[in-house]
Amino acid sequence: MKVSIVLACRDNTGSLQDTIRSILSQTYADFELIIIDDGSKQPVESTLAGISDPRIKIYRIEGQGLGSALNFGVLKSKGYYVARIDDDDLMENSRIKKQMDFLDRNEDVVCVGTQLWFKSDYKYCALRKFPLTHEEIVRDLIKLRFSIAHCSVMFRRSSFDLIGGYRVKGGGQDLDLFLQFSKVGKLANIDEFLTYYNLSLGGLSVRAPKSKYSAYLFAMNSILNEKKFEGFKDEILNTVKTLKSKLNLEFNYLFAFKRFLLIGKVKLLGKKIDLNKKVI
């Protein structure tokens, strides 16, 4: 099997069915979908009424955190490539095929993302354009400007194993993953909008920023004295200083306000997602 899609969820009772349907409708069909139920109060199977497909494999673990849940899912995977999606996001139906073809053509790339449609409910629009090259992506990551989206990536399983998987066991695991990937190969983005990212006010960045900033600080300190990043040392030190100043935040009001404005923009200016045509 060439592709495994790994999705972790906890207590999702609304959007998961749409996410799974967008996955099952991919033009490239020879994949497995591994769903990790990370300690939901109600088992995830109960939310999937009417969805049955032999490619779906569900595992239940006891609330270990997102990074740990994804490590478990990748460990169970059989694919040469692993694709990610979150439980409230959607895929364009050509995404898996295009990312797979990109990695086949570019052997120096270990992880590739896509451009994002930002969505709220069933409206969507483009709010920014991600860079395509490794150097631009890494420079942005060091400045905490996420120019590759975790929910949109496909990576080589061999490279994932080489870096030891997700070292951050909870949330905020994406920055360390990308920086570690950049030590063994290149990062890239496809110049096409192939993933719908759900704008939410309930994520860690809002309700538990201390946890996320701690994870980011771990990632930055891990590369501070790495030879591969010596050209970025000043930027890394500035980011470390910024993160330390934010570690006392119990609630990120500024981030919540910015996210609220983005949601409003999408709802005001966005197009309506046609689940029967555009995604599924």
Side-chain angles (χ1 to χ4, degrees):
M1 180 170 293
K2 198 163 185 178
V3 178
S4 299
I5 301 169
V6 176
L7 181 158
C9 61
R10 181 187 293 178
D11 296 325
N12 183 307
T13 58
S15 57
L16 183 58
Q17 286 201 13
D18 287 339
T19 300
I20 292 175
R21 288 193 179 104
S22 77
I23 295 169
L24 298 180
S25 297
Q26 293 296 297
T27 56
Y28 180 82
D30 186 21
F31 62 81
E32 62 177 355
L33 169 58
I34 296 176
I35 300 174
I36 311 303
D37 181 351
D38 187 27
S40 296
K41 295 175 183 177
Q42 187 174 350
V44 71
E45 289 93 339
S46 63
T47 70
L48 301 184
I51 297 180
S52 177
D53 192 291
R55 294 172 292 180
I56 299 176
K57 302 171 183 177
I58 301 174
Y59 299 91
R60 181 174 171 84
I61 60 177
E62 294 304 320
Q64 298 178 18
L66 181 55
S68 291
L70 294 175
N71 276 338
F72 183 92
V74 176
L75 182 65
K76 294 293 185 181
S77 71
K78 299 177 181 177
Y80 183 73
Y81 298 138
V82 176
R84 280 280 299 114
I85 187 76
D86 287 331
D87 64 355
D88 54 356
D89 300 327
L90 303 169
M91 292 184 178
E92 285 280 4
N93 60 15
S94 61
R95 181 188 136 179
I96 295 301
K97 179 67 164 63
K98 289 180 176 179
Q99 287 185 297
M100 183 181 67
D101 289 347
F102 184 94
L103 290 175
D104 283 347
R105 295 192 308 268
N106 297 275
E107 295 184 359
D108 57 338
V109 174
V110 298
C111 178
V112 60
T114 78
Q115 303 299 325
L116 292 187
W117 294 118
F118 290 82
K119 77 178 184 73
S120 180
D121 296 327
Y122 291 105
K123 303 274 298 269
Y124 74 98
C125 68
L127 296 177
R128 63 177 290 203
K129 193 77 177 288
F130 290 161
L132 307 182
T133 67
H134 174 79
E135 291 75 15
E136 292 177 285
I137 293 169
V138 171
R139 185 174 294 278
D140 277 357
L141 287 172
I142 287 171
K143 295 178 180 179
L144 296 185
R145 180 174 169 83
F146 281 80
S147 291
I148 183 169
H150 188 228
C151 66
S152 78
V153 298
M154 178 183 285
F155 53 80
R156 299 181 191 275
R157 169 68 188 273
S158 59
S159 299
F160 182 86
D161 292 340
L162 184 62
I163 65 172
Y166 292 94
R167 302 192 303 168
V168 175
K169 305 310 180 186
Q173 75 298 324
D174 46 355
L175 179 61
D176 185 63
L177 180 79
F178 294 143
L179 292 175
Q180 294 303 307
F181 268 146
S182 74
K183 292 164 60 175
V184 299
K186 291 185 177 180
L187 307 175
N189 283 310
I190 292 175
D191 197 18
E192 293 187 63
F193 290 84
L194 301 175
T195 307
Y196 293 77
Y197 168 70
N198 186 58
L199 291 167
S200 169
L201 290 172
L204 280 181
S205 296
V206 175
R207 58 181 173 79
K210 186 183 297 186
S211 173
K212 181 162 275 193
Y213 290 140
S214 294
Y216 292 168
L217 188 59
F218 166 79
M220 300 307 296
N221 280 327
S222 294
I223 65 168
L224 181 56
N225 296 311
E226 291 269 359
K227 186 175 181 180
K228 192 172 185 67
F229 297 96
E230 60 187 3
F232 297 104
K233 190 155 189 178
D234 288 343
E235 290 95 330
I236 295 171
L237 287 170
N238 285 335
T239 300
V240 167
K241 183 179 179 180
T242 299
L243 287 168
K244 286 181 176 178
S245 72
K246 294 183 175 182
L247 279 180
N248 293 324
L249 285 177
E250 297 295 340
F251 188 88
N252 197 334
Y253 292 98
L254 179 59
F255 185 92
F257 178 68
K258 291 179 178 178
R259 181 57 60 93
F260 177 79
L261 292 179
L262 289 178
I263 291 172
K265 185 174 182 179
V266 171
K267 289 186 174 182
L268 181 65
L269 302 177
K271 300 177 182 178
K272 188 174 181 179
I273 297 175
D274 185 343
L275 289 174
N276 294 313
K277 295 180 180 179
K278 177 154 289 283
V279 179
I280 301 176

